[in-house]
Amino acid sequence: MQDISVIILTYNEEIHIRRCLENVRKFARQAFVVDSFSTDNTTSIAKEFGAVVVQHKFENYARQFNWALQNLPIETEWVVRLDADEYFSDELIAEIESTLPNTPDDVNGYTAPRLLYFMNKFVHHGVLPLVLLRLFRYKHAAIEDKWMDEHIYLTSGRSVDLKNPFYDHNLNGLTFWTQKHNGYSTR
């Protein structure tokens, strides 16, 4: 287990949160779930797994995540941002375990390729994998204050690429996906 805290923003994620937190247990010392007042069992499942659950009104993803960085009692050197429907591959976990202890002082972040599952099938084509900064030194990163397509950026130092992937694997059906993407197009 590494000196890592994971921040997961949630709203009605009972279908995903158990799988996500089972994965987080493999590599992180702390798990924080910042919940936007879910009406399902998201928070009770998160508490079962020992996550620190904090509820905070949602305005947009960027502001919620930056609020979490500024207000959670993070005690670790490193932070990971995960969505509830995401999880690290075992290979990525092993790569982090071997890489993190040897991190040069000027490296404050790591990127990893995100691979996508759609309707329980791996997506082989398109602009994939998408390489994203998801692991960073606490207090050396933030997320762009945008309503859509926000990304984490380093406020100092440089990033290094990890080669092994993490997965975006949403278990909801086509109706959910369509509604979610209609919301994206509206924004």
Side-chain angles (χ1 to χ4, degrees), residues 27-88:
F27 66 89
R29 191 163 60 89
Q30 288 182 300
F32 294 98
V33 171
V34 180
D35 185 73
S36 302
F37 300 94
S38 291
T39 57
D40 66 1
N41 291 315
T42 299
T43 59
S44 60
I45 295 168
K47 287 175 185 174
E48 259 177 57
F49 277 83
V52 175
V53 177
V54 178
Q55 292 192 305
H56 186 260
K57 184 180 176 193
F58 187 84
E59 187 175 347
N60 69 31
Y61 199 97
R63 290 183 184 161
Q64 189 81 330
F65 190 76
N66 282 329
W67 178 89
L69 286 176
Q70 294 162 7
N71 291 281
L72 294 175
I74 296 169
E75 299 172 352
T76 58
E77 180 179 5
W78 296 91
V79 175
V80 165
R81 169 212 178 271
L82 275 181
D83 290 342
D85 63 354
E86 294 175 335
Y87 55 93
F88 282 7

Side-chain angles (χ1 to χ4, degrees), residues 12-180:
N12 290 343
E13 289 287 355
E14 70 182 359
I15 193 172
H16 298 115
I17 195 67
R18 182 178 312 278
R19 178 186 65 190
C20 182
L21 289 170
E22 284 174 349
N23 181 254
V24 166
R25 278 183 170 175
K26 296 178 184 179
F27 66 89
R29 191 163 60 89
Q30 288 182 300
F32 294 98
V33 171
V34 180
D35 185 73
S36 302
F37 300 94
S38 291
T39 57
D40 66 1
N41 291 315
T42 299
T43 59
S44 60
I45 295 168
K47 287 175 185 174
E48 259 177 57
F49 277 83
V52 175
V53 177
V54 178
Q55 292 192 305
H56 186 260
K57 184 180 176 193
F58 187 84
E59 187 175 347
N60 69 31
Y61 199 97
R63 290 183 184 161
Q64 189 81 330
F65 190 76
N66 282 329
W67 178 89
L69 286 176
Q70 294 162 7
N71 291 281
L72 294 175
I74 296 169
E75 299 172 352
T76 58
E77 180 179 5
W78 296 91
V79 175
V80 165
R81 169 212 178 271
L82 275 181
D83 290 342
D85 63 354
E86 294 175 335
Y87 55 93
F88 282 7
S89 67
D90 289 340
E91 295 80 10
L92 179 57
I93 293 168
E95 185 178 10
I96 289 169
E97 286 175 356
S98 66
T99 303
L100 216 53
N102 304 311
T103 301
D105 290 341
D106 69 328
V107 172
N108 287 330
Y110 285 95
T111 64
R114 185 195 71 179
L115 301 180
L116 181 65
Y117 279 86
F118 177 69
M119 304 290 295
N120 280 326
K121 293 189 182 339
F122 177 66
V123 177
H124 295 276
H125 306 287
V127 292
L128 302 170
L130 184 60
V131 177
L132 299 169
L133 178 70
R134 288 297 184 88
L135 171 62
F136 55 89
R137 282 189 211 266
Y138 182 46
K139 298 190 178 189
H140 291 276
I143 196 166
E144 299 168 311
D145 189 8
K146 295 170 49 175
W147 283 94
M148 189 67 203
D149 290 332
E150 66 285 323
H151 295 93
I152 295 171
Y153 64 93
L154 293 177
T155 56
S156 66
R158 65 184 176 97
S159 64
V160 173
D161 297 332
L162 296 169
K163 65 178 181 174
N164 290 292
F166 69 99
Y167 300 105
D168 181 334
H169 185 180
N170 194 293
L171 300 170
N172 289 296
L174 188 57
T175 300
F176 173 87
W177 186 89
T178 302
Q179 290 171 342
K180 179 178 173 181

